[in-house]
Amino acid sequence: MKGIVFTEFLELVEDKFGLEMVDTIITESDLESGGVYTSVGTYEFSEMLQLLQSLNSHTGIPIDDLLLVYAEHFFSVLKKSYPQFLVMYSDPIEMISSIESHIHVEVRKIYPDAELPTFEVVEKSKKALTMIYKSSRSMHYFGLGLMKQTFKHFNTNATILVEKIKEDGTEVKFIIQKSE
Ligand code: HEM
């Protein structure tokens, strides 16, 4: 997992819960990196999982909710760091359905070792999109948060249903309906 995911996560934790919480979750986790991350480095996903589990145990906030809020923050990071991917789109359904065929393809050129999910477009129309998410990392709530912010970015609204295909969240169906 890329370092930018860790650095931004820890910044958000500091923002919401304070520096002491950052220290606590790093100390409590068994981290090969020692909790020192650079944005371009690459680290084990298991480190992120431990940090999330530790934060969950201290705050009582479910991990899925932590990922959702984190993704909403991460979208603004993406907007600032990679504006070139956003200006190409004028419609959220066009943008979200292009994650697999365009955006993450470009991300892989920048970070060849990025660990990205796959998104298969099952059905697409002007107002609706069904996609299947697959990833060993089960970060579908992170995907949900990014999708929600994508709609917000284009000043639109949508209902997004999340249906687990596999109980462990490694395969999930997203059913997106744009509302006017
Ligand atoms: C992960 C880039 C938009 C879904 C990532 C990562 C990067 C990235 C750098 C981390 C990879 C790693 O840690 O190795 C971008 C950029 C975007 C974008 C530059 C647009 C400007 C989106 C959108 C979605 C999405 C709109 C939702 C449909 C995900 C998910 C992950 C991820 C779910 C977590 C990894 C996993 O589940 O396996 N993305 N992304 N991304 N991205 Fe994107």
Side-chain angles (χ1 to χ4, degrees), residues 25-83:
I25 64 172
I26 288 177
T27 312
E28 269 188 13
S29 305
D30 181 19
L31 308 172
E32 207 182 301
S33 69
V36 181
Y37 303 101
T38 66
S39 63
V40 292
T42 304
Y43 307 90
E44 288 297 321
F45 171 66
S46 61
E47 296 203 0
M48 178 53 72
L49 207 53
Q50 287 190 69
L51 293 167
L52 284 165
Q53 277 160 352
S54 176
L55 186 59
N56 158 262
S57 78
H58 286 283
T59 61
I61 303 169
I63 288 180
D64 281 348
D65 290 350
L66 291 172
L67 279 172
L68 185 72
V69 172
Y70 176 40
E72 290 176 358
H73 166 74
F74 198 67
F75 187 85
S76 63
V77 175
L78 294 176
K79 227 160 106 166
K80 232 184 281 159
S81 309
Y82 307 99

Side-chain angles (χ1 to χ4, degrees), residues 1-2 78 99 103-104 107 114-115 117 133 135 137 139 146:
M1 172 158 273
K2 294 312 296 177
L78 294 176
I99 294 298
I103 296 177
H104 278 176
V107 170
E115 295 178 304
Y133 161 93
S135 167
R137 290 164 293 283
M139 289 178 71
L146 289 173

Side-chain angles (χ1 to χ4, degrees), residues 77-97:
V77 175
L78 294 176
K79 227 160 106 166
K80 232 184 281 159
S81 309
Y82 307 99
Q84 70 271 31
F85 299 140
L86 283 123
V87 295
M88 299 182 63
Y89 297 96
S90 54
D91 177 84
I93 289 195
E94 285 307 320
M95 180 170 152
I96 294 169
S97 63

